[in-house]
Amino acid sequence: MMVAPVTAPILIRGTGLLGTSIGLGLRAAHYTVLLSDPSPTAEAIAQDIGAGIRLGDAGEDLPGLVIVAAPPEAVAVEVANALVSYPEAVVVDIASVKIGILARLLEMAADAETALTRTDLSRYVGTHPMAGREKSGPVAARGELFTSMPWVVCPAVDLSTGEQLSAETAVADAVQLARTLGASVHRMDPSTHDDSVALISHLPQVAASLVASRLQDAPADALALSGNGLRDVTRIAASDPNLWVQILSANAQPVVEILYGLREDIQRLITTLEAPTAPGGQADIAQLIAEGNAGVARVPGKHGAPPQSFAVVTVIVDDKPGQIAAVLNDIADIGVNVEDLRMEHSAGHQVGMVEVSVLPGKREELAQALTNIGWKVVLS
């Protein structure tokens, strides 16, 4: 278990992006990590980049903690096998949905023909690290992937009574795992977790994919006008279809409930835009946009603090090596902290625009100082 000395082996079952990243982070924290994956190639790559050693190459020490990093559809069976195979170990999964996995485990525990028992579930804790990359596989793994990212811990419960099944010692191990990897721990019941990710993760994926699908037959001339707005909206549309089939299928009901509301808003906008000059039409469009303003204002800002409005200073840079670093070095010398940063390219010109977000009181100071140094600055 995680509360044991750092020499206690930890087994990671699944060496994709997340499993391998966990291995790298735990190895950096001096834990002994064992790796197991149905793919010998993925397993070998994870070992080669330093995420741990393959289970088959390890000694006879049994793991105190098993981390199941399998695809969502395989998680319940993998968790059950780990609980039975390692009767002293705590078992956690890192899947992005929780209720379906827990329901399947409860079914298996109630089946007299399976080796899993309800008592075994005291050693199981569902978790979900809210981190990832557009790239996949062990070669994309990063040990710092989870630093400052939310990691949800969902103790197992009886879905009929709400009684907690996970032992608090097992929950403590799950929490320690997340903290060891630098994550921010959030404890939730499985149902609240699934409802939450349906809104803040699964809905954005669906929306991005639907918008991006409209681009398939778009004229090249239209796409040539693309800016950061389109890129921001569609960035996550480049996700793995096979993974999202599993995620959306496993969390279908919460996602559907949100989509019902989105459908109402879309139909409302369609009706308004069919006659935009009709009485009340302009006000309805404004109201819809204002509702979006109110929603985005509730998204937590830097470090999870309450959102605040930053001022933007745009610096025009040449499209050549070293320009962005030079701007940031000059800003550091001026003594102004950068709260956020984004890049936008100028269509048809060999320049880029670095949009630097700073505290409102620092906007004029930064703009003037950068101008004095020789940068071309635009205040928006």
Side-chain angles (χ1 to χ4, degrees):
M1 299 182 185
M2 294 296 291
V3 293
V6 294
T7 54
I10 298 172
L11 171 61
I12 300 175
R13 177 64 174 162
T15 54
L17 168 65
L18 295 184
T20 304
S21 294
I22 290 172
L24 291 170
L26 290 176
R27 290 291 299 122
H30 309 295
Y31 283 88
T32 299
V33 178
L34 310 178
L35 305 171
S36 174
D37 194 285
S39 168
T41 300
E43 192 178 82
I45 292 173
Q47 177 172 262
D48 287 347
I49 64 176
I53 60 175
R54 286 179 288 189
L55 181 61
D57 298 336
E60 297 182 355
D61 288 344
L62 296 178
L65 176 71
V66 179
I67 303 167
V68 175
E73 63 185 2
V75 168
V77 171
E78 289 288 346
V79 168
N81 289 340
L83 287 169
V84 172
S85 299
Y86 305 107
E88 301 299 322
V90 169
V91 179
V92 305
D93 75 83
I94 60 168
S96 56
V97 289
K98 300 269 75 88
I99 284 291
I101 293 167
L102 177 57
R104 180 64 183 129
L105 287 169
L106 288 168
E107 289 176 3
M108 287 189 282
D111 187 345
E113 296 184 0
T114 66
L116 184 70
T117 68
R118 186 180 175 92
T119 301
D120 291 328
L121 296 182
S122 66
R123 296 182 286 112
Y124 164 67
V125 183
T127 81
H128 179 200
M130 303 288 292
R133 303 182 67 194
E134 284 80 21
K135 299 178 181 179
S136 61
V139 293
R142 298 291 183 271
E144 66 280 2
L145 185 66
F146 310 100
T147 302
S148 300
M149 301 302 290
W151 191 306
V152 189
V153 174
C154 300
V157 296
D158 185 304
L159 295 179
S160 299
T161 66
E163 173 194 0
Q164 181 172 311
L165 303 178
S166 300
E168 280 300 322
T169 52
V171 176
D173 281 357
V175 169
Q176 183 59 35
L177 168 65
R179 288 178 176 164
T180 297
L181 296 170
S184 171
V185 178
H186 300 257
R187 182 165 174 167
M188 288 183 176
D189 66 82
S191 179
T192 299
H193 166 273
D194 285 7
D195 288 345
S196 298
V197 296
L199 178 63
I200 60 91
S201 177
H202 304 169
L203 175 65
Q205 175 64 50
V206 170
S209 295
L210 290 177
V211 171
S213 73
R214 298 294 91 201
L215 306 178
Q216 295 177 91
D217 300 317
D221 289 346
L223 294 176
L225 305 178
S226 301
N228 275 357
L230 182 65
R231 296 187 188 98
D232 287 347
V233 170
T234 59
R235 179 181 61 84
I236 59 174
S239 299
D240 180 2
N242 293 328
L243 175 63
W244 277 98
V245 165
Q246 297 178 50
I247 292 173
L248 292 175
S249 297
N251 204 30
Q253 191 55 45
V255 173
V256 165
E257 292 298 327
I258 296 170
L259 289 177
Y260 286 153
L262 184 63
R263 181 175 64 185
E264 292 177 4
D265 286 341
I266 291 174
Q267 186 56 57
R268 167 184 156 196
L269 179 60
I270 289 172
T271 300
T272 299
L273 291 180
E274 285 175 340
T277 59
Q282 304 292 297
D284 195 50
I285 295 172
Q287 177 62 28
L288 198 64
I289 300 301
E291 289 171 4
N293 295 163
V296 77
R298 297 199 62 208
V299 178
K302 185 178 179 182
H303 304 316
Q308 60 175 306
S309 177
F310 294 123
V312 176
V313 176
T314 302
V315 185
I316 308 301
V317 299
D318 293 331
D319 188 10
K320 63 182 183 181
Q323 288 285 283
I324 298 174
V327 171
L328 294 177
N329 283 334
D330 285 342
I331 293 174
D333 290 340
I334 294 166
V336 174
N337 189 52
V338 175
E339 306 295 338
D340 201 357
L341 177 72
R342 59 182 283 168
M343 275 286 300
E344 185 166 356
H345 298 282
S346 178
H349 300 278
Q350 295 300 310
V351 298
M353 290 166 282
V354 180
E355 297 181 355
V356 180
S357 295
V358 298
L359 293 175
K362 296 292 185 179
R363 177 175 180 262
E364 300 296 334
E365 173 190 344
L366 178 61
Q368 187 60 56
L370 287 172
T371 299
N372 293 341
I373 292 172
W375 293 103
K376 184 175 182 180
V377 177
V378 178
L379 294 179
S380 53

